[in-house]
Amino acid sequence: TTSRRVHGGKTFFCPDALNMVRVVQSLVSLLSLWLCLSVCHIGASEDTAQPEHYQALVLSDVHYDPFYHPGYSCSSLCRSRLVNWSSRQSVGCGPLSVSQSEEQLAFGQLGCDSGDDLIRSLFAHLKKQFAEDSKHNIKYVAFVGDFAAHGFTDLIKQEFMHLYHDPGATSTFSDTIHTELPEHHIENPQELLLGTAKRFFKAFAAAVPENVPIFYTLGNDDLPLDAKLPDSPGASIEEAESPWLTSLAKVIQPLIERNGVVTDFSQFRYGGFYSASLREKEVLLFLNTIVFARRKIYPRHPELPYIEELSECPHNLPFGCDHDRAERQMDWLDAKLYLAERNGQRVSLFGHIPPGMYSSGSQLWHSVWVKRYIEIVKRYSSIINQQVYGHLHLSDVRVFELPSKSLLPPLYVAPGIAPIFGNNPAYRKMELDGHGMVTDYEDYFIDVFGHNVLPKSQRLGSPPSWTSLYRFKTFFTSNSSSLNGTTVRQAIQSLHPCNSSTHRREKWYQYSTMGSAEKAKELKQREANLYCLSIHAEHESFLQCAQHISAMCNTTAHWTLHHLELENQGWSIDPALTVFAYLTCVVLFVFVALFLMGSAGLQKISRYLYLLSMTIVRGPKRLSESE
């Protein structure tokens, strides 16, 4: 396999070029055979063992208001004889203009929740979705909180009495509130909220086939202020059960356990959280994130500061700062994920208020619970498919980054139904693979604000209709088979305020607000915040990111800025992996070149390498003329 060469009185033994070519050809042939067999094996196993793909619907923040009346100003939440809220003026409320009529605003308006017309329209479109689902691909519906309208939790008894007896606020549902709520209980706000829950979920259940479960997570407006919780420190789960959650469980549990879904509902009456086994290898965990959230001492006065320390919490704020219930829920989450990991199961997390930030920069959860949650999700990130939340009335997606630069599973924020904050009503259809991981999603919306400004001749007899707003993979031109942390992070990076087109970002803001042009303009004023809240869950790192992005976008050296972004914000490819990828490409290139060049070409390359080594060792001046 070698040949003897003599040079300068010294003997060299060089590899025989022809034999080396044969060895390389053999290796390439074996490698090709191995790759072929591997692909065939993978393809066969996928055909026989891969669970079927399916779909799911996600709704959030319906805020059903049976007292909605389009003839009243949003300064009173579109309800009659209701004292004005100081917060209403901050969203542009005022008397109806001359060009607006009650008929025009029947499907909703800025500053108000969802009335009967909007709810009926929503449920009619859900029925259409299932009617068109001939293959029964939609396996479940997830409602991630807030069935109740704003204000149901903190209105006084007299205001409820006025609302109920006002002829102008009569509901148009076929079953009146009397059927669910006897008149002698009307004075109790908690009973009124329970009656609204029964009525809403009854209509919800009628819109969804009986074999499709409807999952639910507790929303912050789904709790009446008089829903006092028994003291939980040192008490058993049974001793600390909430009467309100016990009543609510009777309404929703039959919907959750449709089609034989197995649940662990023992914790719901105590803390509002539970688990469900959708299939043998897929578990859904539904959290009560209200116990983790920062709350205001007096919810009716938004100008007051948030409760920053858990020790500041008043005892009469339901679920506001219940440290014991929050701690027990975190322990429960940890235990459920540990069990799922042992059983080889995949898990999806659902909740109402997500961890992270508002676009204003204020924090959604108390820091202690953010840190604990991230610690748990990081530990079990290999089995967590995704996190699904609501509350923000925006369509959004986030991938939080850890100090180690690793990424958590994607967090999807589902759009809201109620148009109170200037967003058009919308909901989401998720497409999932056989293991329960989201592969794509599509948002459907109804253009309430566009309909409200149409001429009367165009509005009459033509109510607004639900239609597709956008698909994730279409907008981000993604070809990935699933949406994991890496692929979603790439999508977020394409919206970087410094390194992406203004048109693209403005389009995304319109999608985020479900087609609301005015709300999209508001988001554009907070571009740095919007980008940073998509990658940071903790307040300190979020602020550092926002300041860094603001500074970056004020310079024109984009290639330098991009490098800084890779270093400081963590959206980067591991340098070690980059070097490995380059070396792999070089080795593959050499193999292919040797294979194609044959014996003669290999001899030339060997000669050139020999001359190069001599040049390095002896220097170019000491080489012979022939060399």
Side-chain angles (χ1 to χ4, degrees):
T1 59
T2 61
S3 60
R4 186 171 178 272
R5 304 269 180 98
V6 178
H7 178 77
K10 297 182 180 179
T11 303
F12 296 88
F13 291 91
C14 301
D16 186 87
L18 181 59
N19 286 330
M20 286 189 65
V21 169
R22 289 172 180 170
V23 170
V24 171
Q25 289 174 335
S26 300
L27 290 175
V28 172
S29 300
L30 290 173
L31 180 61
S32 302
L33 179 61
W34 176 77
L35 288 173
C36 181
L37 292 175
S38 300
V39 170
C40 293
H41 173 72
I42 293 171
S45 62
E46 287 180 345
D47 291 339
T48 57
Q50 185 72 271
E52 64 177 358
H53 289 217
Y54 67 96
Q55 297 174 332
L57 304 182
V58 182
L59 288 78
S60 183
D61 297 276
V62 171
H63 294 289
Y64 167 55
D65 188 352
F67 304 114
Y68 173 81
H69 192 285
Y72 291 101
S73 168
C74 64
S75 63
S76 63
L77 288 172
C78 299
R79 301 172 190 153
S80 61
R81 289 204 292 271
L82 180 63
V83 295
N84 288 356
W85 278 22
S86 59
S87 62
R88 296 302 91 206
Q89 302 302 324
S90 64
V91 294
C93 288
L96 300 180
S97 67
V98 177
S99 61
Q100 292 175 319
S101 64
E102 295 181 12
E103 177 272 332
Q104 179 177 350
L105 301 175
F107 287 90
Q109 58 179 298
L110 175 68
C112 298
D113 285 317
S114 305
D116 289 335
D117 289 302
L118 178 56
I119 296 299
R120 276 201 306 272
S121 174
L122 168 65
F123 289 157
H125 194 257
L126 293 187
K127 289 182 179 179
K128 181 181 178 183
Q129 285 274 20
F130 285 102
E132 296 174 350
D133 181 28
S134 59
K135 295 184 179 180
H136 306 289
N137 287 328
I138 303 177
K139 300 302 182 184
Y140 67 85
V141 178
F143 174 40
V144 290
D146 274 355
F147 70 82
H150 293 89
F152 265 44
T153 60
D154 60 351
L155 292 177
I156 60 175
K157 182 193 309 180
Q158 290 81 358
E159 289 174 337
F160 277 109
M161 292 293 290
H162 285 312
L163 284 170
Y164 179 73
H165 292 293
D166 188 337
T170 301
S171 173
T172 57
F173 265 142
S174 57
D175 55 325
T176 66
I177 203 165
H178 288 289
T179 62
E180 305 290 354
L181 187 63
E183 190 169 358
H184 65 275
H185 285 303
I186 270 296
E187 297 181 6
N188 186 340
Q190 186 172 150
E191 290 295 330
L192 179 60
L193 186 58
L194 181 61
T196 303
K198 291 178 179 179
R199 176 187 175 121
F200 169 76
F201 283 107
K202 181 178 180 180
F204 201 164
V208 178
E210 294 182 356
N211 64 338
V212 177
I214 301 174
F215 299 114
Y216 164 75
T217 63
L218 200 65
N220 57 295
D221 280 296
D222 298 342
L223 296 165
L225 278 186
D226 60 344
K228 298 295 190 295
L229 295 174
D231 291 335
S232 60
S236 66
I237 297 295
E238 292 74 17
E239 292 171 337
E241 284 186 353
S242 158
W244 165 248
L245 293 182
T246 300
S247 299
L248 189 58
K250 295 177 181 178
V251 178
I252 63 171
Q253 190 170 358
L255 304 181
I256 293 170
E257 295 179 347
R258 285 175 158 189
N259 202 30
V261 170
V262 178
T263 65
D264 177 5
F265 221 69
S266 59
Q267 305 279 353
F268 186 85
R269 294 170 177 81
Y270 157 76
F273 51 94
Y274 66 97
S275 67
S277 297
L278 189 64
R279 295 183 293 188
E280 182 182 358
K281 292 297 183 179
E282 187 177 354
V283 176
L284 311 181
L285 301 182
F286 297 90
L287 308 177
N288 169 18
T289 58
I290 314 306
V291 296
F292 309 138
R294 295 166 69 239
R295 305 287 298 280
K296 294 180 182 294
I297 299 178
Y298 301 102
R300 286 187 66 176
H301 298 281
E303 67 276 6
L304 294 179
Y306 279 97
I307 301 167
E308 296 296 345
E309 301 296 333
L310 297 180
S311 59
E312 299 175 0
C313 293
H315 295 292
N316 63 344
L317 187 63
F319 288 111
C321 306
D322 194 322
H323 188 280
D324 187 68
R325 278 182 169 80
E327 188 69 43
R328 287 195 187 187
Q329 184 177 185
M330 285 295 185
D331 292 341
W332 173 87
L333 174 62
D334 198 342
K336 284 291 185 181
L337 289 170
Y338 172 76
L339 186 62
E341 185 179 51
R342 287 189 57 187
N343 295 334
Q345 296 171 312
R346 304 288 300 183
V347 180
S348 296
L349 307 179
F350 295 82
H352 182 63
I353 301 177
M357 308 291 152
Y358 288 106
S359 61
S360 62
S362 60
Q363 194 164 328
L364 287 155
W365 289 11
H366 284 284
S367 296
V368 62
W369 304 126
V370 174
K371 295 180 184 297
R372 179 77 190 280
Y373 178 81
I374 289 178
E375 173 190 329
I376 294 173
V377 173
K378 174 188 175 183
R379 187 181 310 136
Y380 300 102
S381 60
S382 62
I383 66 167
I384 297 176
N385 288 328
Q386 59 265 329
Q387 310 161 77
V388 182
Y389 288 89
H391 183 63
L392 300 178
H393 293 251
L394 293 172
S395 175
D396 200 8
V397 60
R398 304 176 178 187
V399 175
F400 295 137
E401 176 191 279
L402 303 177
S404 63
K405 306 303 182 184
S406 58
L407 304 176
L408 295 184
L411 188 153
Y412 300 99
V413 179
I417 298 295
I420 184 170
F421 297 117
N423 57 281
N424 273 313
Y427 71 91
R428 177 165 295 167
K429 178 193 282 186
M430 298 191 305
E431 297 179 6
L432 305 99
D433 64 18
H435 303 291
M437 178 175 285
V438 173
T439 61
D440 198 3
Y441 70 75
E442 184 175 15
D443 283 356
Y444 292 85
F445 85 119
I446 182 172
D447 191 3
V448 167
F449 295 108
H451 181 265
N452 287 349
V453 298
L454 289 175
K456 186 175 182 179
S457 59
Q458 297 182 31
R459 285 185 282 103
L460 291 178
S462 179
S465 58
W466 293 83
T467 185
S468 173
L469 178 62
Y470 81 102
R471 293 181 69 94
F472 181 91
K473 283 189 174 180
T474 301
F475 179 77
F476 290 106
T477 59
S478 172
N479 296 319
S480 176
S481 59
S482 61
L483 300 183
N484 55 30
T486 301
T487 55
V488 175
R489 185 58 183 274
Q490 290 173 347
I492 293 173
Q493 179 68 16
S494 71
L495 300 171
H496 193 291
C498 303
N499 301 321
S500 61
S501 71
T502 302
H503 174 75
R504 180 176 180 80
R505 296 197 305 275
E506 289 177 348
K507 192 70 175 178
W508 174 248
Y509 301 149
Q510 288 187 24
Y511 288 158
S512 295
T513 59
M514 293 75 86
S516 174
E518 291 301 318
K519 188 69 174 178
K521 292 178 182 178
E522 178 184 323
L523 292 185
K524 193 176 185 303
Q525 303 304 315
R526 300 172 174 176
E527 286 192 307
N529 283 10
L530 290 174
Y531 178 79
C532 292
L533 63 80
S534 296
I535 58 178
H536 292 286
E538 298 189 55
H539 194 242
E540 182 177 352
S541 59
F542 163 80
L543 289 178
Q544 292 175 354
C545 171
Q547 293 169 0
H548 176 72
I549 295 296
S550 298
M552 282 176 57
C553 294
N554 289 330
T555 178
T556 58
H558 276 216
W559 66 272
T560 304
L561 298 176
H562 185 66
H563 175 71
L564 290 173
E565 171 65 4
L566 294 179
E567 285 189 346
N568 297 317
Q569 299 308 317
W571 171 229
S572 62
I573 301 174
D574 191 329
L577 292 178
T578 304
V579 173
F580 177 77
Y582 282 132
L583 291 177
T584 302
C585 290
V586 170
V587 171
L588 289 176
F589 175 78
V590 170
F591 267 100
V592 173
L594 293 178
F595 180 76
L596 295 177
M597 293 174 66
S599 176
L602 186 57
Q603 289 178 357
K604 290 182 178 179
I605 291 178
S606 300
R607 182 65 176 163
Y608 293 150
L609 290 177
Y610 164 75
L611 292 176
L612 178 62
S613 64
M614 291 297 99
T615 302
I616 295 174
V617 173
R618 295 158 52 187
K621 293 183 178 180
R622 299 182 60 184
L623 293 178
S624 66
E625 184 177 346
S626 62
E627 290 175 335

